[in-house]
Amino acid sequence: MEPFSCAPALCDVFDALTSERPYKKAWPIKEAIQFIKDNAGSHFDPSMAAKFIEIMPTILDIREKYADEEISYANPHLMSVKVPAE
């Protein structure tokens, strides 16, 4: 795998594992990290996986900062959103 595709692949897998989807529950962070460790060398570049795990506190901070808001009609922020006329 090309070096420039290793980081996005790790990020994508981590996000997919730790995010709830209509068809699955989110994995706990510790289980996702263990999955990455277990698959380093086969599915993931070992040095990239190690670095990804090393910077996990920063990754989690970024993830929290840019988390999607749950969409709800009870959300006051959504009540003020104007939908443009066609």
Side-chain angles (χ1 to χ4, degrees):
M1 186 178 277
E2 292 295 320
F4 293 112
S5 60
C6 293
L10 270 168
C11 294
D12 183 53
V13 168
F14 180 77
D15 181 63
L17 293 175
T18 59
S19 297
E20 188 166 334
R21 303 284 192 241
Y23 52 87
K24 73 165 198 70
K25 296 284 185 193
W27 287 25
I29 301 293
K30 287 182 180 184
E31 287 183 27
I33 291 170
Q34 189 60 53
F35 179 85
I36 291 169
K37 287 179 181 178
D38 292 346
N39 288 281
S42 58
H43 288 82
F44 308 115
D45 176 86
S47 61
M48 189 68 70
K51 192 62 168 175
F52 186 83
I53 293 165
E54 179 185 324
I55 64 168
M56 186 58 61
T58 302
I59 292 168
L60 295 176
D61 287 345
I62 293 167
R63 179 185 173 137
E64 184 176 329
K65 182 177 180 179
Y66 294 102
D68 293 333
E69 283 188 42
E70 185 175 325
I71 296 175
S72 168
Y73 290 110
N75 185 330
H77 299 290
L78 293 178
M79 300 299 263
S80 63
V81 173
K82 303 280 187 213
V83 178
E86 291 186 28

